Amino acid sequence: MQKVKLPLTTDPVKDAQRRLDYQGYYAADQLTRLAESVVKVLSDAQVTLSFFIDPQKLTVMKGKASVDVELECQRCGETFKQTLECEFTYSPVSNLDKIDELPEIYEPIEFNQFGEIDLIGTIEDELIVALPIVPMHSSEHCEVSVAEQVFGELPEELAKKPNPFAVLASLKKK
């Protein structure tokens, strides 16, 4: 199957009634918010989407996405390549009051004024959430050795410094 550029927005209700499946990509230059969160976006985002109506008559968008990015290791400062992958299941709602009616397995997504959803924004949000909290190489690939990492007690020169809040203790006694 040929991979095609995906639309920026879509009407999930119509797509679900037709049981449409999308397999395509978003170009790396379209992922501007993701690019702000990483050193560089290395590849196009590969996306697979399925729209259907579940047994409860709810419209559902299920999919997965992946993209290669370059991150900066927070231990050594060098860059490294990582593949971000995410899976998601959404059910569109007309207003946020109906969120409580959705089953827990579905994330709510709100329609815009045209009855469509921002597809690229949603995919980009999922990829941003898939970013590691603290990007680091694996220990064997990192330039900072285990011997250079300090765990536990502070070095003596830091322990000897006077407490800057000691002055407050005297005020407390008064």
Side-chain angles (χ1 to χ4, degrees), residues 150-168:
V150 178
F151 298 99
E153 297 194 23
L154 293 173
E156 286 184 35
E157 61 271 5
L158 290 176
K160 291 180 182 177
K161 285 188 177 180
N163 184 351
F165 299 104
V167 175
L168 296 176

Side-chain angles (χ1 to χ4, degrees), residues 94-136:
S94 53
N95 62 38
L96 297 177
D97 298 335
K98 297 186 178 184
I99 289 176
D100 295 333
E101 299 172 14
L102 284 180
E104 288 184 17
I105 60 170
Y106 301 143
E107 287 290 323
I109 187 169
E110 197 170 14
F111 292 111
N112 65 13
Q113 65 268 26
F114 305 112
E116 296 181 332
I117 57 172
D118 178 15
L119 202 53
I120 188 169
T122 305
I123 302 298
E124 201 168 14
D125 287 345
E126 288 292 332
L127 291 170
I128 290 170
V129 169
L131 284 168
I133 295 172
V134 181
M136 290 186 287

Side-chain angles (χ1 to χ4, degrees), residues 25-45:
Y25 69 94
Y26 286 114
D29 61 348
Q30 290 179 292
L31 306 171
T32 54
R33 289 186 301 124
L34 179 63
E36 292 171 1
S37 303
V38 299
V39 174
K40 185 177 182 183
V41 178
L42 299 174
S43 70
D44 296 339

Side-chain angles (χ1 to χ4, degrees), residues 49-118:
L49 296 169
S50 295
F51 292 88
F52 58 93
I53 297 176
D54 76 350
Q56 295 177 338
K57 306 286 188 238
L58 293 171
T59 301
V60 178
M61 177 183 77
K62 187 173 188 165
K64 56 184 173 180
S66 67
V67 66
D68 292 329
V69 295
E70 191 172 66
L71 299 173
E72 182 179 350
C73 178
Q74 297 299 301
R75 228 181 337 222
C76 68
E78 296 296 318
T79 59
F80 66 99
K81 178 184 168 187
Q82 181 158 348
T83 301
L84 302 177
E85 295 177 315
C86 60
E87 291 187 22
F88 47 86
T89 306
Y90 285 100
S91 183
V93 293
S94 53
N95 62 38
L96 297 177
D97 298 335
K98 297 186 178 184
I99 289 176
D100 295 333
E101 299 172 14
L102 284 180
E104 288 184 17
I105 60 170
Y106 301 143
E107 287 290 323
I109 187 169
E110 197 170 14
F111 292 111
N112 65 13
Q113 65 268 26
F114 305 112
E116 296 181 332
I117 57 172
D118 178 15

Side-chain angles (χ1 to χ4, degrees), residues 73 75-77 136-145 149:
C73 178
R75 228 181 337 222
C76 68
M136 290 186 287
H137 289 106
S138 57
S139 296
E140 60 269 6
H141 295 108
C142 196
E143 292 182 14
V144 176
S145 70
Q149 297 175 24

